[in-house]
Amino acid sequence: MNRHIPFAQLHNFRDLGGYQAEDGSTVRRGRLFRSDSLSKLEGADWDRFLSLGIRTVVDLRYPWEIEAKGRVPAHPSLAYHNQSIEHRPYDQSALAPDVAPGPYLAARYAEVAKDGTKEIRETLELIATAGEGPVVFHCASGKDRTGLVAALILSLLGVPERTIVEDFTLTGLATARLVADWRAANPDRELTWPGYGQAPAEVMTLFLADLNSRYGSIQSYVTQILGLDTTFISALRANLLEPAAPISFRRATEADIPTLVRLRDDAANWQLSQGIDQWKPGQLTEPHFRTRLAEGEVWLAILNEPNAPDEQQVAGAWELWWDDPAAWGPQPPTAAYIHRLMTDRRVAPPGTGRHLLAEAERRITATGRTLSRLDCLADNPRLREYYQAAGYTVVGEQAAKDSGLGNPYAVTLLEKRLH
């Protein structure tokens, strides 16, 4: 996913909004941005920047960098703050080719977390108390110092570590332009380190693991080392999170069958648009869902409009089976099987799929069964990773699942123990 906002001279300007927290809430869009150096803003880029309504700029660079390269242009609408969080300068462009980016940069980030407590604390306070106006924080390339601050904020907001790491790696989409800028500014120097401008996942993974190991958790680092209490964290969340849309659930009835067919066809069309060859439009018609209603359970997720409680929209659905011999073979009655987890992408808010999955697991637990099982196409790693992030473990493969549609296919089997 490309979250970059296009500018001519800025290469790594991104909105941190839209990420889902573990409680189902979502980071507000248009409220918090991260960027490379804003000193490059001019002309149409400057107009584009002002149109975002940003009111607070936090510059994470050294004062000597600002003196050499400049800062964001002054403007009556902008409050500018310099918080130099890094205290031990180093030159990435001059590193030897054999320096591994992951361990090296993770160690530098650990130094920043240790040395820059005052500036990091003040940066987080500025973001938490910024009021209604959007905030942008930046360094030179928008990768290292900026990535550290972004990781702390997203973690405090409850965004999963996997998502935080993915956000860090998105700098990779700007690497070529960042390298081109360096070469243009240094025509007489050779770029010796192939890791320059790169943002491999290992860097952030190692850094977060180090913080957790040293301090117990990211929140412990913030409260015990930075000295910010839970009141601050609550203020940060209130400023930057919007609650999950209210969703309720009910069993599907005969009258819902046309809606289920539409949901399935819409999901099939979306899969095809993404290059996923699994479901086909028109493949499952009303008789299929009539059978599922009779032999198992089919559930609907209903999106309730807060300002119009009488208006309800179907946001998604799933099937619950009590056995699944085609994929799992004969099994004792200790598990239930989730099938056709579907969301309506036109109306479902971010994170709806995870809500559906959690509700299905609650329903399984209510029946006294202790395992939730599902399968996904063996050559669909994105879906497999999605379920793994939700706590499912790969336990095997079925090389030729026959779903009764005349096209056996290989599936990965996943299960989750419910407590």
Side-chain angles (χ1 to χ4, degrees), residues 3 15-20 26-29 350:
R3 302 175 63 88
D15 187 347
L16 284 172
Y19 286 129
Q20 184 195 1
T26 304
V27 182
R28 298 182 191 274
R29 296 183 185 274

Side-chain angles (χ1 to χ4, degrees), residues 18 34 52 56 88 94 96 107 123 125 127 141 150 155 185 250 262 275 286 324 333 336 351 354 381 410:
R34 53 176 295 173
L52 296 173
T56 303
R88 307 185 212 184
T123 295
E125 287 175 327
I127 292 169
S141 65
S155 180
R250 67 170 175 83
R262 177 187 62 78
E286 292 191 4
D324 185 9
R354 189 64 66 85

Side-chain angles (χ1 to χ4, degrees), residues 91-102 104 190-196:
D91 184 359
Q92 293 187 25
S93 64
L95 293 175
D98 60 349
V99 174
Y104 180 83
E190 180 184 357
L191 186 60
T192 59
W193 192 44
Y196 184 86

Side-chain angles (χ1 to χ4, degrees), residues 71 102 117 126 137 157 164 176 181 245 262 331 342 369 390 418:
R71 45 154 280 185
T117 54
L126 285 168
F137 57 97
L157 294 177
I164 295 170
D181 274 4
R262 177 187 62 78
Q331 294 286 330
M342 310 177 286
R369 302 198 179 201
L418 306 177

Side-chain angles (χ1 to χ4, degrees), residues 278 324 327-328 337-339 373-385 387-388 392-401 409-415:
Q278 183 169 359
D324 185 9
W328 294 82
Y337 303 83
I338 300 172
H339 284 274
R373 287 176 173 161
L374 47 81
D375 63 74
C376 68
L377 204 63
D379 59 359
N380 188 347
R382 288 172 55 191
L383 186 57
R384 182 177 66 248
E385 290 168 4
Y387 287 129
Q388 288 177 306
Y392 284 76
T393 301
V394 174
V395 294
E397 287 202 0
Q398 168 62 269
K401 176 183 175 180
Y409 50 90
V411 295
T412 300
L413 305 176
L414 301 101
E415 73 176 19

